Amino acid sequence: MAVLPLCEGAVRADDRALYTPEELTAIYGHSPPGSPPPDPTDAVADSPAAARLGRMLFFDPRLSDDGRVACSTCHQPAHAFTDGRRVAVALGTGTRNTPTLLNEPFGSWSFWDGRADSQWSQALQPLENPREAGTDRLHILHLVRDDPPLRDAYRAVFGALPPLEDATRFPPHALPGAALNTAWNAAWSGMAQADREAVNRAWSNLGKAIEAYERLLVGGNSAFDRYVGGLKSGDAAAQAGISAAAKRGLRLFVGAARCELCHAGPLFTDGQFHNLGLPLLSGEAADAGRDAGIRQVRDDPFNGAGAFSDAPVGEARDSLRYLPEPHLMLGAFKTPSLRNVALTPPYMHDGRFAALEQVLDFYARGRASSRGRVVGARERTADIIPRLGEGQKRDLIAFLQTLNSPPLPAELTGPP
């Protein structure tokens, strides 16, 4: 098939003539995104009642130690469920960029290092992180019990809470480990084993409710998706929905620029972890990335193979069993989805790049981008990305801007 040049203002009967059969096959593989896969580890993942409870929790700052930090503090609907900062800021300042929650239900691993293997287990960790919400599971469960709307919403999905009114068995604050407060740790150690298990079960239920809400944060029907629909159907009006520059960028993306090496499929990610050789920023401590993430997810009592999973055998267990040795993944971080990427600056796990132009410049420099101290063994992936001209970079960015989804319904972007 002859491939015609893409020029501004050109009129064509059918854009399929612009692409080779191989390019069309690659393009079709990126759209539509479809529906998120099920999560068997969360029995209420698709329950509307659970999603309503999760939405209440997501926007409630009372879940934090000082009553000012909610999940939505860092995952702001107005910023495509990020915060627009280089690194997250809540009770303290973090070390990593806040990833978007849009389309997160499609992925297998959460956080930049994949230290959670479900959205519900991910949702629990920031609540007890001293830099984020800085509180503890007993405090939050008492809050749910003492707040009639939360209590009723919980009971409608999960049944009765533990007998939290018995303060001798269930203190106002208690937390395993030594991450926050030694008094809270001592209170946890003083609880009966059966009571700790009851608390952990209720605690996991809160995470599962938050996951049910977050599973609704799915964005599709972008300009790119409508364009692909037009290619498949031959609809000339739909094919006119993106610019000639974006079409040139699309050809680069699926072809010469080799972006698909990592940004594959309908979500524009391989779901894997890579060490790109990002040199340490001035004053930045080394970040082990996936190395630490593998160790943490294996030890997490709330992982998919644990006692609080609703499907502890099968795929969840196998995913954990066949993880690589942690040291092989030192300095590797998750490939982010490129859907809505133009809405979620800054970029990379540490937010070092303020704009997409800087990201493309990094890849264009190849090995030269990795001068300086690098954590772990740098992959050679970036070395096989060709050097792009300024016009080609602009075309790629024009294409990436077509991946933005329409705004979510208003009933999903605030508390019920």
Side-chain angles (χ1 to χ4, degrees):
M1 178 185 294
V3 180
L4 303 178
L6 285 81
C7 303
E8 295 288 353
V11 178
R12 300 180 181 86
D14 193 331
D15 272 5
R16 284 176 288 196
L18 301 174
Y19 308 103
T20 67
E22 294 76 17
E23 289 169 342
L24 280 174
T25 298
I27 291 167
Y28 293 161
H30 283 293
S31 179
S35 300
D39 181 2
T41 70
D42 181 354
V44 300
D46 297 306
S47 159
R52 184 177 185 278
L53 170 60
R55 186 174 155 209
M56 295 167 73
L57 296 168
F58 186 90
F59 290 98
D60 194 336
R62 296 176 299 168
L63 272 60
S64 66
D65 183 59
D66 67 354
R68 294 188 298 111
V69 175
C71 302
S72 58
T73 300
C74 292
H75 297 287
Q76 300 169 20
H79 288 280
F81 288 86
T82 68
D83 56 9
R85 298 175 180 269
R86 189 179 77 80
V87 295
V89 177
L91 289 187
T93 300
T95 59
R96 292 180 182 162
N97 180 254
T98 300
T100 179
L101 293 181
L102 290 175
N103 297 315
E104 183 69 10
F106 288 94
S108 299
W109 307 99
S110 293
F111 296 110
W112 281 103
D113 57 10
R115 66 181 183 273
D117 60 353
S118 69
Q119 278 188 279
W120 65 267
S121 61
Q122 181 279 326
L124 300 174
Q125 294 190 32
L127 297 172
E128 294 184 329
N129 186 315
R131 289 181 175 178
E132 297 183 70
T135 187
D136 65 286
R137 61 198 69 179
L138 263 295
H139 165 74
I140 292 177
L141 289 175
H142 280 290
L143 169 67
V144 172
R145 176 191 173 274
D146 295 338
D147 182 274
L150 285 173
R151 182 177 65 242
D152 293 346
Y154 181 95
R155 286 176 174 171
V157 180
F158 301 109
L161 286 156
L164 297 165
E165 64 276 3
D166 186 346
T168 60
R169 292 172 56 190
F170 299 96
H173 294 280
L175 179 69
L180 281 178
N181 186 303
T182 55
W184 297 358
N185 306 150
W188 181 262
S189 298
M191 293 174 61
Q193 179 64 27
D195 289 343
R196 292 200 295 265
E197 291 179 2
V199 164
N200 283 342
R201 174 65 62 186
W203 178 238
S204 71
N205 288 342
L206 298 186
K208 291 171 183 177
I210 294 174
E211 177 183 33
Y213 164 66
E214 292 180 352
R215 282 176 64 82
L216 303 177
L217 307 180
V218 172
N221 195 32
S222 66
F224 167 73
D225 295 311
R226 297 191 293 274
Y227 177 70
V228 173
L231 288 177
K232 292 177 178 178
S233 67
D235 183 339
Q239 292 176 16
I242 67 175
S243 68
K247 295 170 188 179
R248 293 193 299 266
L250 172 57
R251 283 192 65 197
L252 281 169
F253 190 94
V254 300
R258 312 188 79 171
C259 306
E260 289 193 309
L261 288 171
C262 296
H263 294 286
L267 271 295
F268 292 85
T269 173
D270 60 3
Q272 299 302 311
F273 298 81
H274 300 279
N275 186 334
L276 300 178
L278 288 165
L280 290 179
L281 298 174
S282 176
E284 181 184 36
D287 189 331
R290 185 61 168 153
D291 174 288
I294 289 173
R295 302 174 198 274
Q296 291 176 51
V297 72
R298 283 175 171 169
D299 293 340
D300 185 1
F302 299 102
N303 67 31
F308 305 101
S309 166
D310 295 321
V313 297
E315 184 177 350
R317 182 179 63 183
D318 291 344
S319 295
L320 292 167
R321 177 181 294 173
Y322 296 113
L323 285 169
E325 287 301 309
H327 71 274
L328 298 176
M329 304 301 292
L330 181 64
F333 294 91
K334 187 170 70 172
T335 304
S337 169
L338 294 184
R339 285 191 174 267
N340 301 290
V341 68
L343 303 176
T344 60
Y347 302 105
M348 300 299 187
H349 72 276
D350 54 8
R352 68 176 60 204
F353 297 136
L356 287 170
E357 289 85 352
Q358 293 174 297
V359 178
L360 294 181
D361 287 342
F362 166 80
Y363 284 113
R365 291 195 301 272
R367 182 170 293 278
S369 295
S370 299
R371 291 174 181 155
R373 190 158 67 93
V374 174
V375 179
R378 175 190 183 276
E379 292 183 12
R380 298 186 61 189
T381 308
D383 298 338
I384 57 178
I385 305 298
R387 293 188 178 275
L388 302 174
E390 293 304 312
Q392 290 176 309
K393 293 177 189 176
R394 287 193 296 270
D395 289 344
L396 268 176
I397 291 172
F399 163 64
L400 293 175
Q401 290 170 336
T402 71
L403 300 180
N404 296 342
S405 302
L408 292 172
E411 60 267 22
L412 293 179
T413 58

